Amino acid sequence: MTLATLAVVGTVVAFAVVALRRPTRDDDAVRTLELRLARGEIDEDEFDRLRRALGAR
C-alpha cells in the first residue's frame, strides 16, 4: 500500500469511530432520567413513564 492509501483508510476509520461513539439525543435524555432517578428527583414509576415516552428501551 502506498502512503496515500494508508492516509485515506486511516481517515475513513477515524471518522467511523467518531461517528459510532457519539451519543444520540435519546441516549442523553435517558441518561438525564437515570441521574434524576438516582438523585431521588423522580420515582421509578415516573422514570418508566418518561422513558417509554421517549421510546427508549
Side-chain angles (χ1 to χ4, degrees), residues 18-34:
V18 169
L20 292 174
R21 293 188 66 192
R22 183 171 295 152
T24 64
R25 289 188 73 153
D26 287 344
D27 292 340
D28 290 341
V30 172
R31 180 70 182 135
T32 300
L33 287 176
E34 290 170 345

Side-chain angles (χ1 to χ4, degrees), residues 9-55:
V9 170
T11 302
V12 169
V13 169
F15 278 117
V17 168
V18 169
L20 292 174
R21 293 188 66 192
R22 183 171 295 152
T24 64
R25 289 188 73 153
D26 287 344
D27 292 340
D28 290 341
V30 172
R31 180 70 182 135
T32 300
L33 287 176
E34 290 170 345
L35 291 172
R36 290 183 65 198
L37 178 64
R39 288 190 297 248
E41 295 176 8
I42 59 175
D43 61 16
E44 288 185 36
D45 292 333
E46 182 74 359
F47 173 81
D48 290 335
R49 185 185 69 76
L50 292 170
R51 190 178 58 184
R52 279 193 308 274
L54 290 170

